[in-house]
Amino acid sequence: MEPQMKATTRTALGAVSDPAPATHLIQSNVELVKKDVEEKLGRTFSVYQATQFCTQTVNGYKYFVKVDVGNSEFIHLELYKPINGQLSLLNVEDKKSESDPLKK
């Protein structure tokens, strides 16, 4: 289990946790997929700061992360890390605002 990366609220298996402030480990994961995100969206980011995240335990860990990309713009990332595998980018949602909720 990766407790240092989980949101603070315990949830039932498969349920999505409540949003929590992003940790340095969440930021590290977001950095690992930055090139993939930039390729998918066709642009680069000088600002790329995770601000909030939720988790879901599903045969590994899903992370839903809100990322500040500057100029009052945000993106939402969906990441997946199998129990014994590599982190991967599943989805990117562009043109989000700070007030847009993460997946629940």
Side-chain angles (χ1 to χ4, degrees), residues 34-94:
K34 183 177 181 183
K35 287 184 182 185
D36 295 331
V37 170
E38 290 174 334
E39 283 179 20
K40 248 185 184 184
L41 297 179
R43 57 190 172 130
T44 59
F45 302 108
S46 58
V47 175
Y48 189 76
Q49 183 65 46
T51 61
Q52 191 178 58
F53 77 108
C54 299
T55 61
Q56 181 181 30
T57 303
V58 285
N59 197 26
Y61 306 97
K62 274 191 178 180
Y63 300 97
F64 303 95
V65 186
K66 184 181 291 189
V67 180
D68 181 349
V69 293
N71 298 319
S72 300
E73 293 181 37
F74 290 78
I75 59 175
H76 290 182
L77 306 181
E78 183 177 349
L79 310 175
Y80 177 65
K81 185 177 184 311
I83 293 169
N84 294 314
Q86 299 278 341
L87 181 77
S88 62
L89 175 67
L90 295 180
N91 191 36
V92 180
E93 294 181 14
D94 198 9

Side-chain angles (χ1 to χ4, degrees), residues 4-41:
Q4 69 275 23
M5 295 182 61
K6 288 195 160 291
T8 55
T9 305
R10 288 201 176 265
T11 56
L13 186 63
V16 178
S17 71
D18 291 331
T23 65
H24 72 280
L25 289 169
I26 292 298
Q27 181 65 36
S28 295
N29 277 349
V30 166
E31 292 292 337
L32 287 173
V33 299
K34 183 177 181 183
K35 287 184 182 185
D36 295 331
V37 170
E38 290 174 334
E39 283 179 20
K40 248 185 184 184
L41 297 179

